[in-house]
Amino acid sequence: MSVVTGALGSLAPKLLQLLGDEYKLQKGVKKQVQWVSIELDNINAFFRKVSAVPWDRLDELVKLWAREIREASYDMEDVLDTFLVQLDGGAPADPSRLKRTLKKMGKVFSKAKARRSIAGAIEDIKKRLDDIAERRQRYKLDEKIAAAPTIIDPRLIATYKEVSQLIGVDKSRDDLISMLNLLQPDDDAPDKKITKKVSIVGVGGLGKTTVAKAVYENLKSQFDCAAFVSVGRDLDLVKVFKDILFDLDKEEYKDIHETKRGLEFLIREVREFLEKKRYFVVVDDVWEVEKWKKIKVAFIENNCGSRVITTTRSVDVAKASGEVYNLKPLSDDDSMNLFYTRIFGADRKFLGDQPDDISEKILKKCAGIPLAIITMGSLFAGKEKHQWPVLLDSIGFVHDEDNNEVKDTMTILSFSYYDLPPELRTCLLYLSTYPEDYEIEKDPLIWKWIAEGFINPEKGKTLFELGEKYFNDLINRSLIQVVEAWDGRVSGCRIHDMVLDMIRKLAFEENFIALLSDNVEATNAASSVRRLVQQNRRAEHKNSEATVTEMTKVRSFSTFLCCINNRDQFLRFKILRVLDIVDCSFEEGCHLDHLGDLLHLRYLGIQRCQGRGYKIPKQIGNLKLLQTIDVDTVLPESIFQVTKLVRLCAPPMDTVDGIGNLTSLEELIIKRRPGGWDIPKRFIKELGRLRELRVLQFFPTEKMGIQRDFVESLCNLKNIQHIGVNDGFCAYRPMWEAAGFVLPRSLCYLVLPVKFSKMPSCIDPSSLRFLFHLDLFVTTMDEQDLKLLARLPALCFLMLRTESTVTASNINAGDGCFFQKLRYFLTESIMVLFEQPNEKDGSVSFHMWNYSKQHAMPFVSRKSNDNNKSVVPRGVMPNLEILRFDISLKAIKDNNGDYGSFGLEYLPSIRELSGPINCEGVSAKEVDAALAALTNACKLHPNNPTFEMYTINDPVDLEIMNRLRQMTNRPNLPAKFVTEQFPDEDL
């Protein structure tokens, strides 16, 4: 209902602010302010009743009255904000004493004028509220509110991705694999050599992407290269081909998204890359036949047995894409299973006496569509069984059998939306400002919510903490889908196409946003637009340009993939709060010189933009209300005058004197600069003044003299949660290892480029109970140190470097003390291995073997067939999914070890192995045997984890290498030298 009430929630605090002595309002004006505040409280109380009713069930008079309130509240807030800006001043101090004195005298007169104008404005607001209250009584609106259904409070257990992959996917996945002809035993069969194409077709929400992803994960290891890309309705072919290249080879094409080369170059690059490779590509969510024809040109027919899968809602696209696979809705059993799993948890402990007739009625309306079933399950989660019939009746489905599944699902999604608390509805609708299939970053999204005034303050919690709670709530209700960062953190979200369609419809109907794109023109009255979004507008639109000029009340302007071709495009939005420019290009002559005039601005984001001349002007120091700045271009020194900044994310500045003035900062992220950043000592010293800092991240070059200052500054940051100091920021150890240095208890993320000689005392499991991500280098470690790390209760990601060989013995799977939550474990120059030395006691040993230091192998050699034991204790690292380690084949050979036996059977959740395999000093035949043994170990595991290990230092024939050593009289001649100096044909 916050969409309808507009700015009512933020008006009351601002009115109370006016009553402070610093604003010096006359008594009569103060009384009017108090009256307005009380009246707004009464209106809010009424809207709390209205908010419990779905919008389509409200009386039309109530809707009209609500819309009037919304527009009035926005106008009131604009008036109050303008007054507060005028009174607080918007310009920085002038260095000239005379000018400074004249400026001060001018401010005295302007403030007096502002106080007179606010008195008139408050009188106007009072009259407007009088009229609104009179209409409410005249039409008896309190009696016209429909009866509210039971309040829904879903308690969700798993995300859409997790649940949907467990239920109803296996059969479809296996059918598709069969269609791809990959199960034939004869690898030379003609059908296996052609480039086979299959298209999955079905309605939105049916699970096409989920099934395609399941097939992709199952098969990609069988191909030379693979890519999974999403296209979407608003197709950008250049981005699609860049995504394909990046996915095919992330190392070779790591910078492909930065290139300015055109479509023809990208298509040619894809074709050349795939020319002699057996590839597997999934193109997800194709909408139009013509667009697919342009994409498929890149998939060369090379007679290597390549495979291509597309997913689409269009039968025409499916027929044009290849062999058609019609994805069917879930069976009744799978639907019931998914529904109950969503309600009662992944362990599926269903209630035996559940009312089956009600369940069947619910699932009949879902028509086997997973998204609909999960949405319904979310609504019924946590409800007593006697409430189910009442809840079902309150949904208000259309019972006409002619209505298709899409309409039913949209009805379900709409009801899920109305089930949200008012503040969450607004936050969800705000996602309609993003393009389709967009990966929405979590932190910038939350700061935009804050800038818009969507987050209601609560005692004892910061606005960002509340925003995170809102974000997690939307995830738990299956309305947005989680996007994880490379280390397992929730970095953002995506929004399902069906949900996006729904919220765009709602946002448009209630004038929440106006969307302009190459295919869509806003039809709202220009004078009433409050949030303007532009997407994919590369050319000038003269008709809409005049319309934009009339949008004088715009408070939020977001533009994605557009051309900025008007030099004063942003100046016309005088009360702008949010300005977000992403992936745009500035034409010559277009700049940001007028940015300092947007005195109401709270959020400024400029990312991944191109063009000459655009830069942040020094007048940004005028923006006293600015809270968040997230830009890719260097900031002027005047930014340090903006003392209300809470998030500063920008490249390094030449001068950082004044960073200590930003005492409200909660996040300070200095982006990476090529070659690093020669960090000033003054910057390190002033960090200690930023007592509110939660996130600190920068990428400095090595500098020995600032370690002591940095440690002292960190000791002052009691609220710090994220410390990420990457690259070469010196390894000056004594200060870090000094007694008494304690990391804050709130710490969640720690990356320190420090090479500790021993385990630092500040790594303490009893105090670091929230530490999620740890990157640590300890020269000398022992078993006690390893087991200490294993007791960190929240640790999910561990990058551990050491020069020691360490063994943790007597680990019992059920004791809960050995890396219970760890999902990602990475090492360097270390081989890891699990073994069960004694089958009788059931314990396991975990070894980290540093073979580069020529340490003896700490584990007992055993053969791969020894894995077939009658009892295997599982769950030593019960949640470990990604394991990265090094393998030296020569070290294993010299120690009589077995290449394929490293205890994979003790890791029940493992899904990926990665890392380098050093082939120096062994023959090519031994390399083949080792790879076969390692691959076989993965195949024997129930999860069939992907094997992404790669060979380094190519092997040579040992007999030839020994002869060369004799000929050159160099008995220690390294194999690497031989392979570099003598090509295979010469050998």
Side-chain angles (χ1 to χ4, degrees):
M1 210 59 206
S2 295
V3 179
V4 179
T5 57
L8 278 180
S10 55
L11 272 177
K14 290 178 179 177
L15 285 167
L16 293 176
Q17 186 180 346
L18 287 179
L19 298 177
D21 293 337
E22 68 270 23
Y23 294 103
K24 300 178 181 178
L25 297 182
Q26 296 177 347
K27 287 185 179 180
V29 178
K30 284 188 175 183
K31 287 183 178 179
Q32 287 184 326
V33 169
Q34 290 171 334
W35 182 93
V36 169
S37 181
I38 293 171
E39 184 63 20
L40 288 174
D41 285 340
N42 291 332
I43 292 173
N44 264 325
F46 175 71
F47 270 115
R48 277 193 289 272
K49 296 178 182 178
V50 176
S51 66
V53 182
W55 186 248
D56 57 357
R57 297 180 62 199
L58 285 173
D59 186 279
E60 285 300 316
L61 287 174
V62 175
K63 290 183 182 182
L64 290 172
W65 186 82
R67 290 189 179 108
E68 184 181 4
I69 284 288
R70 177 193 63 214
E71 297 305 317
S73 70
Y74 283 136
D75 291 340
M76 294 175 202
E77 188 177 39
D78 292 343
V79 168
L80 293 180
D81 281 347
T82 301
F83 169 70
L84 293 173
V85 167
Q86 288 175 343
L87 225 57
D88 291 338
D94 195 294
S96 164
R97 178 179 297 180
L98 175 60
K99 288 185 178 180
R100 193 163 57 241
T101 303
L102 293 173
K103 184 79 72 175
K104 188 178 293 185
M105 292 174 62
K107 285 184 178 179
V108 170
F109 291 110
S110 64
K111 287 182 178 180
K113 183 179 179 180
R115 290 189 182 95
R116 288 194 299 271
S117 66
I118 194 63
I122 293 295
E123 177 65 29
D124 292 340
I125 290 173
K126 182 177 181 298
K127 290 179 180 177
R128 193 164 180 179
L129 289 177
D130 274 334
D131 292 340
I132 291 171
E134 190 275 330
R135 272 193 293 280
R136 175 181 165 187
Q137 292 179 355
R138 185 196 317 161
Y139 297 116
K140 300 180 180 179
L141 298 183
D142 295 59
E143 302 173 8
K144 296 183 182 294
I145 301 176
T150 308
I151 295 175
I152 313 298
D153 182 20
R155 292 176 175 82
L156 307 181
I157 312 226
T159 65
Y160 172 72
K161 174 183 174 183
E162 294 169 338
V163 178
S164 62
Q165 284 182 343
L166 291 175
I167 299 169
V169 173
D170 291 353
K171 185 180 183 307
S172 300
R173 180 198 63 199
D174 294 342
D175 288 346
L176 274 164
I177 292 174
S178 178
M179 288 180 67
L180 292 169
N181 291 336
L182 292 172
L183 300 178
Q184 296 179 16
D186 182 10
D187 287 337
D188 292 326
D191 283 349
K192 294 197 74 173
K193 290 200 168 187
I194 64 171
T195 302
K196 181 84 170 179
K197 299 182 179 72
V198 174
S199 185
I200 309 171
V201 64
V203 297
L206 195 56
K208 301 183 295 296
T209 302
T210 302
V211 173
K213 190 71 173 175
V215 174
Y216 179 79
E217 294 296 336
N218 190 275
L219 298 180
K220 66 178 181 180
S221 60
Q222 301 180 23
F223 294 81
D224 298 332
C225 55
F228 191 109
V229 294
S230 185
V231 175
R233 192 181 306 168
D234 300 324
L235 177 64
D236 181 353
L237 282 172
V238 170
K239 182 179 183 303
V240 167
F241 285 114
K242 286 181 179 180
D243 289 346
I244 290 173
L245 286 166
F246 180 78
D247 236 2
L248 288 171
D249 192 328
K250 292 182 173 59
E251 185 60 32
E252 181 174 348
Y253 296 107
K254 61 183 178 181
D255 298 321
I256 191 64
H257 287 94
E258 306 301 323
T259 186
K260 298 180 181 178
R261 302 294 294 271
L263 190 60
E264 291 184 6
F265 166 82
L266 295 169
I267 293 174
R268 186 168 61 252
E269 191 74 12
V270 174
R271 289 179 63 85
E272 290 176 358
F273 183 88
L274 299 178
E275 186 175 2
K276 297 182 180 180
K277 292 184 176 65
R278 186 170 186 258
Y279 59 86
F280 182 31
V281 177
V282 177
V283 184
D284 181 45
D285 200 18
V286 183
W287 282 76
E288 297 177 27
V289 173
E290 293 303 314
K291 299 294 177 61
W292 164 246
K293 288 179 179 178
K294 294 178 181 178
I295 294 172
K296 75 173 184 178
V297 170
F299 302 138
I300 191 168
E301 297 280 354
N302 56 12
N303 205 35
C304 293
S306 300
R307 298 293 183 263
V308 178
I309 291 179
T310 57
T311 73
T312 181
R313 300 182 187 189
S314 167
V315 174
D316 291 337
V317 172
K319 290 178 179 178
S321 303
E323 190 173 349
V324 177
Y325 179 75
N326 286 290
L327 185 61
K328 297 178 181 178
L330 295 182
S331 66
D332 292 344
D333 288 343
D334 282 340
S335 295
M336 191 72 73
N337 198 1
L338 178 58
F339 180 64
Y340 280 152
T341 299
R342 196 58 169 150
I343 294 176
F344 301 117
D347 57 0
R348 305 175 194 175
K349 294 179 180 178
F350 307 146
L351 298 182
D353 57 347
Q354 205 61 41
D356 291 336
D357 55 335
I358 295 296
S359 301
E360 289 175 3
K361 288 181 181 179
I362 295 168
L363 294 175
K364 184 178 179 182
K365 299 178 186 301
C366 295
I369 298 176
L371 180 60
I373 296 168
I374 290 167
T375 306
M376 290 296 288
S378 304
L379 297 173
F380 286 83
K383 296 296 177 295
E384 296 295 333
K385 61 181 180 181
H386 66 268
Q387 295 178 293
W388 285 27
V390 177
L391 184 58
L392 179 61
D393 291 339
S394 70
I395 293 176
F397 276 93
V398 178
H399 293 280
D400 185 354
E401 295 181 357
D402 293 332
N403 287 313
N404 58 32
E405 296 92 339
V406 175
K407 186 171 183 178
D408 279 350
T409 304
M410 292 299 288
T411 305
I412 295 169
L413 290 172
S414 298
F415 186 70
S416 184
Y417 166 79
Y418 290 118
D419 175 55
L420 293 171
E423 62 276 9
L424 284 187
R425 295 185 199 175
T426 310
C427 291
L428 178 63
L429 282 197
Y430 194 77
L431 299 182
S432 63
T433 61
Y434 290 91
E436 187 179 357
D437 294 325
Y438 196 83
E439 186 174 308
I440 304 168
E441 292 183 76
K442 182 188 75 171
D443 289 7
L445 172 65
I446 292 173
W447 287 117
K448 280 189 266 190
W449 285 346
I450 292 171
E452 290 271 10
F454 298 158
I455 311 294
N456 300 319
E458 290 183 17
K459 189 175 182 180
K461 291 187 178 180
T462 67
L463 290 177
F464 187 84
E465 287 172 337
L466 290 169
E468 277 193 307
K469 180 178 179 296
Y470 290 4
F471 184 88
N472 293 336
D473 241 351
L474 292 175
I475 289 173
N476 291 336
R477 294 168 182 268
S478 299
L479 288 166
I480 58 177
Q481 301 165 353
V482 168
V483 171
E484 286 191 351
W486 58 275
D487 62 353
R489 289 175 296 149
V490 175
S491 61
C493 69
R494 292 185 188 275
I495 185 162
H496 192 281
D497 292 350
M498 298 184 70
V499 178
L500 182 60
D501 288 343
M502 175 193 69
I503 63 175
R504 278 186 175 175
K505 179 175 181 291
L506 291 168
F508 176 76
E509 288 175 351
E510 290 312 311
N511 194 32
F512 186 75
I513 66 164
L515 174 64
L516 299 175
S517 73
D518 277 342
N519 301 318
V520 180
E521 294 291 334
T523 57
N524 305 75
S527 60
S528 66
V529 170
R530 307 286 179 174
R531 294 176 187 86
L532 178 62
V533 180
Q534 287 187 334
Q535 296 175 3
N536 295 295
R537 290 169 67 84
R538 294 295 182 182
E540 185 176 359
H541 294 252
K542 294 182 179 180
N543 292 337
S544 61
E545 195 67 30
T547 304
V548 172
T549 306
E550 300 172 13
M551 297 179 179
T552 57
K553 296 182 178 181
V554 170
R555 51 174 47 205
S556 175
F557 180 53
S558 301
T559 176
F560 301 87
L561 293 166
C562 292
C563 178
I564 309 298
N565 51 21
N566 192 310
R567 64 186 305 272
D568 60 349
Q569 182 163 352
F570 313 118
L571 182 61
R572 58 188 75 156
F573 305 137
K574 294 294 187 182
I575 56 174
L576 199 67
R577 292 163 161 260
V578 173
L579 177 58
D580 195 23
I581 309 171
V582 181
D583 288 319
C584 293
S585 59
F586 284 79
E587 286 195 356
E588 189 173 351
C590 296
H591 48 70
L592 300 171
D593 289 355
H594 302 297
L595 199 61
D597 295 327
L598 305 178
L599 300 181
H600 293 258
L601 203 64
R602 269 82 163 171
Y603 181 99
L604 174 62
I606 306 175
Q607 298 182 62
R608 302 186 298 277
C609 292
Q610 301 176 2
R612 296 180 181 179
Y614 89 87
K615 63 179 182 179
I616 308 298
K618 65 180 181 179
Q619 288 80 10
I620 196 172
N622 298 0
L623 308 183
K624 302 303 183 183
L625 299 180
L626 191 62
Q627 300 169 333
T628 297
I629 183 163
D630 190 344
V631 296
D632 288 340
T633 186
V634 177
L635 292 168
E637 189 178 351
S638 58
I639 192 63
F640 300 129
Q641 298 167 358
V642 186
T643 55
K644 290 187 178 181
L645 270 181
V646 287
R647 185 175 197 252
L648 173 57
C649 183
M653 300 170 58
D654 296 328
T655 303
V656 291
D657 292 351
I659 190 71
N661 297 335
L662 306 181
T663 54
S664 297
L665 268 186
E666 296 182 25
E667 295 185 20
L668 176 58
I669 301 172
I670 308 297
K671 298 183 179 182
R672 187 189 298 269
R673 172 191 285 176
W677 178 35
D678 191 8
I679 187 168
K681 187 171 183 178
R682 175 76 175 270
F683 171 83
I684 294 295
K685 280 183 169 292
E686 292 196 8
L687 281 180
R689 296 170 57 185
L690 309 181
R691 304 300 177 91
E692 301 299 319
L693 209 60
R694 291 183 299 102
V695 176
L696 174 63
Q697 184 169 316
F698 55 93
F699 300 84
T701 53
E702 186 170 334
K703 195 165 185 179
M704 297 290 289
I706 58 177
Q707 281 284 324
R708 180 183 297 274
D709 296 327
F710 187 50
V711 173
E712 290 176 356
S713 290
L714 280 185
C715 290
N716 293 327
L717 305 181
K718 304 301 182 184
N719 296 320
I720 198 75
Q721 297 176 9
H722 179 120
I723 303 174
V725 185
N726 303 73
D727 288 352
F729 181 51
C730 106
Y732 186 61
R733 297 184 293 272
M735 279 306 303
W736 293 96
E737 297 173 351
F741 176 67
V742 179
L743 290 169
R745 301 178 72 90
S746 58
L747 198 65
C748 299
Y749 182 104
L750 179 62
V751 176
L752 292 175
V754 180
K755 191 174 181 180
F756 296 101
S757 60
K758 60 181 181 180
M759 183 65 68
S761 58
C762 56
I763 303 296
D764 181 3
S766 63
S767 60
L768 299 177
R769 303 199 61 79
F770 305 106
L771 189 62
F772 173 97
H773 177 120
L774 177 62
D775 191 326
L776 190 65
F777 196 143
V778 182
T779 304
T780 305
M781 286 185 65
D782 57 21
E783 181 174 11
Q784 183 178 353
D785 295 333
L786 187 56
K787 288 188 172 181
L788 178 136
L789 289 176
R791 292 200 304 272
L792 287 166
L795 193 64
C796 180
F797 176 96
L798 175 62
M799 175 67 193
L800 181 60
R801 304 173 183 87
T802 183
E803 296 178 4
S804 300
T805 289
V806 194
T807 292
S809 54
N810 299 318
I811 304 168
N812 294 303
D815 62 10
C817 296
F818 197 78
F819 292 115
Q820 284 298 295
K821 293 190 176 180
L822 194 67
R823 293 175 57 198
Y824 300 78
F825 182 47
L826 285 66
T827 65
E828 285 184 1
S829 301
I830 296 287
M831 179 173 175
V832 301
L833 182 139
F834 297 87
E835 68 169 347
Q836 190 178 4
N838 188 340
E839 292 184 44
K840 292 183 179 179
D841 79 5
S843 65
V844 176
S845 293
F846 170 60
H847 307 283
M848 294 180 61
W849 176 27
N850 192 324
Y851 52 80
S852 64
K853 299 296 181 181
Q854 298 184 343
H855 295 165
M857 187 167 69
F859 42 87
V860 179
S861 175
R862 63 190 178 97
K863 296 301 178 183
S864 297
N865 56 12
D866 291 340
N867 291 344
N868 299 322
K869 299 174 182 177
S870 56
V871 178
V872 177
R874 297 170 65 82
V876 174
M877 291 184 178
N879 293 297
L880 189 68
E881 298 177 11
I882 309 294
L883 176 60
R884 185 198 184 280
F885 61 100
D886 292 27
I887 294 178
S888 171
L889 299 183
K890 186 176 187 303
I892 297 174
K893 176 185 175 183
D894 291 347
N895 286 271
N896 299 314
D898 178 33
Y899 295 128
S901 181
F902 49 91
L904 199 62
E905 64 269 22
Y906 302 109
L907 305 174
S909 301
I910 194 72
R911 59 182 177 88
E912 181 181 310
L913 296 181
S914 64
I917 302 175
N918 193 333
C919 304
E920 185 175 5
V922 297
S923 67
K925 186 178 293 186
E926 287 170 318
V927 172
D928 291 340
L931 290 173
L934 290 164
T935 304
N936 187 58
C938 291
K939 288 182 178 178
L940 290 174
H941 194 282
N943 293 352
N944 192 18
T946 58
F947 182 70
E948 298 188 0
M949 305 195 79
Y950 54 93
T951 58
I952 58 174
N953 298 328
D954 293 337
V956 297
D957 188 290
L958 292 180
E959 183 180 349
I960 296 176
M961 187 176 69
N962 290 331
R963 285 170 59 191
L964 285 169
R965 285 171 174 168
Q966 291 174 1
M967 290 168 60
T968 59
N969 197 25
R970 294 176 61 185
N972 296 320
L973 183 70
K976 184 177 181 181
F977 173 82
V978 176
T979 57
E980 289 176 349
Q981 298 299 318
F982 299 93
D984 291 344
E985 57 268 23
D986 292 343
L987 289 174

